[in-house]
Amino acid sequence: MCGIVGAIAGRDVVPMLTEGLKRLEYRGYDSAGIAVLNGAIRRVRRVGRVAEMESAVRAEDLKGIVGIAHTRWATHGGVTEPNAHPHMSGDQVAVVHNGIIENHEEQRARLKALGYEFESQTDTEVVAHLIHHYFRETRDLFAATRRAVADLHGAYALGVVALDEPHVMTGARMGCPLVIGLGDGENYLASDVSAVIAQTRRVMYLEDGDVAALERGRVRVVDRAGCPVERREHLSELSADAVDLGPYRHYMQKEIHEQPRAIADTIEGVVDGGVDIDGLFGAGATALFRDAEAVLILASGTSFYAGLVARHWIEAIAAVPCGVELGHEYRYRETIPNPRQLVVTISQSGETLDTMEALKRAKALGHDRTLSICNVRESAIPRASRLAFYTRAGAEIGVASTKAFTTQLVALFTLTMALAKARGKLSAGGESDLIEQLRFVPGSVQHALNLEPQVQAWAERFAVRDHALFLGRGVHYPIALEGALKLKEISYIHAEAYPAGELKHGPLALVDAAMPVVVIAPNDALLEKVKSNMQEVRARGGEIYVFADLDSHFAPSEGVHVIRTPRHAGWLSPIVHAIPVQLLAYHTALRRGTDVDKPRNLAKAVTVE
């Protein structure tokens, strides 16, 4: 949500800032802007896409060796050029900002009393004026930034430049991700590694409360107490090619088709080495899992649906009570803490604000048995957790999560096996059987991908509809939820999901010939129940679209359309059935002409409430 990139170098930084913004487009935004130092602070801002800003930059022949750039997703104030970043204080200071300043009204009143005038409706302009105020006193941008952030309450990642100190760029972080890229005689600032990966793979992650000063040849960092600190340098595993489209039309399409490899990479350790609990999850995991009285999963969005699937696995296989809560609800709810409970957070980015705050809340209540399942190494949530399991989905650019979801599922199944083994619920033979099931998942997913032409034919029918229902039972109900979410996210078709048994308790009133009903119907113990629910739909004139297994013995008939995925995958069936609902959403959106990778009003990394 929003994106920051900055650079200080001995060459023109405008091309690398523009390229960095393009690589951050996936995060979601509605305006873009850039500011560089070149005898003055020169700024270009445009509502719309980065390409529009880029054209204006070329027209104005913008150049500079120090600069900051931003893609904005509107929170305070409408989508207008005056509200776009960077924001300036006079002609002296320019600021880009991700996050929300909670006390901006108080600071705005204070700054107005000091004589500052405001040109925007944003909370960010407060930051620019505060830094300018302290810079007039200190004549030191690093000191001014430190003093300004001490006055701020809320979440922020900042990039700052000042006309009178052109050899320095500052950054600050609280609650929103910020990374420093380390180059040869030049350094970079970004909200995401992908923005600087074309320039360097050497990165340094800032911690909450850090303020940094970047010069061409050095980086200084102080913590929230103002003490100098050294943040460890990492070599990013992300490659520039990982964020290129290649032969695909959209990132979502690319990422759907990358799932066999992403899943295979994520389960490689357990398939090759067995359930080595400490090796997979971290030192001390075996004892922690053995003594856990319950599991609490905290997540949001698609990750929450992954947790709902895992609840079935954990309770049935590991025999451990499991609860699943939305992070943004849990953090504000009075709960009964259980220090012997394992708290599991799930986040693709590792920076999801509501999940991070839920983790902080759990720890404040005495939960020190924490585990993060995440796709981004060294991100905030894993760093704040005692244990971590990293999925290996690679960069996911499309806003609608696909390969992150399926790799989270295999990670959660691995956790289930580890819990069962640590608690003596999994024999050696049982472990081998479950690992063998995991081994076949990438191939089953590839077989499901081969159904794409059939799903495309369904998408033509869905593209002219305004509403849809998704039904599932048991462990497949969360896949119905995920299918409905994907369809509404990128095609803008209103879609709802229900446990199939809930139909007669209200949703059946919605069913008519204009309401397509998607049914997840694998060959499991609830299949006959699902068939009964389908008959209820047909009796009301509803048209049914069934995702079944090869061995489900469904036959297409009038008003009943059937696509068969590979043979029933047992416990891992939800992973296989996630593929066709992703394809259905993608091809329906394609037919409707929506922006598949950047759906309206949404952002990839949700770093504000």
Side-chain angles (χ1 to χ4, degrees), residues 102-111 126 151 153:
E102 295 174 357
N103 63 333
H104 70 98
E105 291 182 351
E106 170 192 331
Q107 294 296 334
R108 182 181 289 255
R110 170 191 171 197
L111 289 161
V126 163
D151 292 342
H153 301 155

Side-chain angles (χ1 to χ4, degrees), residues 13 21 50 67 89-90 129 189 226 290 332 361 363 391 418 438 440 444 453 458 483 511 513 521 541:
V13 299
L21 288 188
V50 171
S89 184
H129 291 320
L189 196 65
R290 182 182 59 243
Y332 294 116
R361 165 74 171 161
K363 292 171 71 174
T391 58
L438 264 182
F440 280 100
S444 296
W458 282 13
V511 172

Side-chain angles (χ1 to χ4, degrees), residues 408-430:
Q408 285 171 355
L409 287 175
V410 294
L412 287 162
F413 192 77
T414 302
L415 171 61
T416 300
M417 291 191 294
L419 284 166
K421 184 173 183 178
R423 298 169 63 82
K425 302 294 184 180
L426 189 64
S427 66

Side-chain angles (χ1 to χ4, degrees), residues 238-419:
L238 186 67
S239 68
D241 289 343
V243 291
D244 289 334
L245 261 179
Y248 295 97
R249 188 169 174 180
H250 297 96
Y251 283 110
M252 184 178 181
Q253 182 189 28
K254 175 177 184 271
E255 288 152 13
I256 288 173
H257 283 271
E258 286 176 339
Q259 287 176 108
R261 169 50 56 194
I263 291 170
D265 288 346
T266 299
I267 63 176
E268 181 180 24
V270 66
V271 167
D272 291 346
V275 185
D276 174 6
I277 301 174
D278 283 18
L280 291 168
F281 295 93
T286 301
L288 192 150
F289 290 177
R290 182 182 59 243
D291 297 335
E293 293 181 351
V295 175
L296 172 63
I297 297 175
L298 301 172
S300 300
T302 287
S303 297
F304 174 71
Y305 298 153
L308 292 178
V309 173
R311 179 172 62 187
H312 289 270
W313 291 337
I314 290 169
E315 293 193 344
I317 298 173
V320 183
C322 179
V324 188
E325 295 213 33
L326 290 162
H328 45 79
E329 293 296 315
Y330 171 83
R331 65 177 293 203
Y332 294 116
R333 189 171 72 80
E334 291 298 325
T335 60
I336 301 172
N338 177 1
R340 296 179 66 85
Q341 187 175 48
L342 173 66
V343 176
V344 180
T345 48
I346 312 172
S347 169
Q348 189 281 137
S349 67
E351 305 283 354
T352 309
L353 183 64
D354 42 23
T355 305
M356 182 70 218
E357 293 300 321
L359 175 59
K360 290 179 181 177
R361 165 74 171 161
K363 292 171 71 174
L365 290 173
H367 294 285
D368 65 350
R369 301 163 181 254
T370 55
L371 164 68
S372 167
I373 293 176
C374 181
N375 190 42
V376 180
R377 289 184 179 275
E378 297 300 327
S379 51
I381 294 175
R383 288 202 308 269
S385 302
R386 184 168 167 183
L387 305 172
F389 184 99
Y390 291 101
T391 58
R392 296 172 64 187
E396 188 178 70
I397 306 301
V399 166
S401 182
T402 52
K403 61 178 180 175
F405 177 62
T406 51
T407 53
Q408 285 171 355
L409 287 175
V410 294
L412 287 162
F413 192 77
T414 302
L415 171 61
T416 300
M417 291 191 294
L419 284 166

Side-chain angles (χ1 to χ4, degrees), residues 481-498:
L481 287 165
E482 175 65 5
L485 177 62
K486 288 289 164 285
L487 191 67
K488 71 181 81 170
E489 276 184 311
I490 63 170
S491 75
Y492 314 147
I493 293 172
H494 171 241
E496 299 293 341
Y498 292 93

Side-chain angles (χ1 to χ4, degrees), residues 440-508:
F440 280 100
V441 169
S444 296
V445 167
Q446 184 58 59
H447 289 156
L449 287 168
N450 295 341
L451 301 171
E452 190 165 13
Q454 298 175 55
V455 177
Q456 281 180 274
W458 282 13
E460 293 183 18
R461 296 169 177 262
F462 274 75
V464 298
R465 302 299 188 185
D466 295 319
H467 309 276
L469 286 178
F470 284 71
L471 304 177
R473 295 198 74 147
V475 73
H476 293 91
Y477 166 53
I479 304 305
L481 287 165
E482 175 65 5
L485 177 62
K486 288 289 164 285
L487 191 67
K488 71 181 81 170
E489 276 184 311
I490 63 170
S491 75
Y492 314 147
I493 293 172
H494 171 241
E496 299 293 341
Y498 292 93
E502 191 68 11
L503 261 182
K504 62 180 70 68
H505 296 283
L508 198 58

Side-chain angles (χ1 to χ4, degrees), residues 116-229:
Y116 286 94
E117 296 182 357
F118 286 78
E119 299 177 351
S120 77
Q121 302 165 299
T122 68
D123 54 340
T124 302
E125 194 175 359
V126 163
V127 182
H129 291 320
L130 267 179
I131 293 174
H132 179 264
H133 169 65
Y134 287 122
F135 186 70
R136 286 194 304 186
E137 294 182 0
T138 63
R139 310 309 301 173
D140 181 323
L141 184 60
F142 193 24
T145 304
R146 296 200 306 271
R147 290 181 66 180
V149 298
D151 292 342
L152 302 178
H153 301 155
Y156 54 79
L158 301 174
V160 189
V161 294
L163 180 61
D164 289 346
E165 202 168 351
H167 63 284
V168 175
M169 174 174 59
T170 60
R173 174 208 165 126
M174 178 63 72
C176 295
L178 197 64
V179 61
I180 292 172
L182 304 170
D184 184 10
E186 54 191 47
N187 290 306
Y188 321 93
L189 196 65
S191 50
D192 191 303
V193 174
S194 63
V196 298
I197 198 65
Q199 313 302 328
T200 183
R201 292 178 59 207
R202 296 167 52 217
V203 296
M204 179 188 299
Y205 296 92
L206 296 183
E207 301 281 352
D208 271 354
D210 283 356
V211 181
L214 287 71
E215 301 174 46
R216 286 181 55 192
R218 67 169 178 163
V219 173
R220 291 171 287 158
V221 181
V222 297
D223 61 18
R224 70 178 70 202
C227 301
V229 290

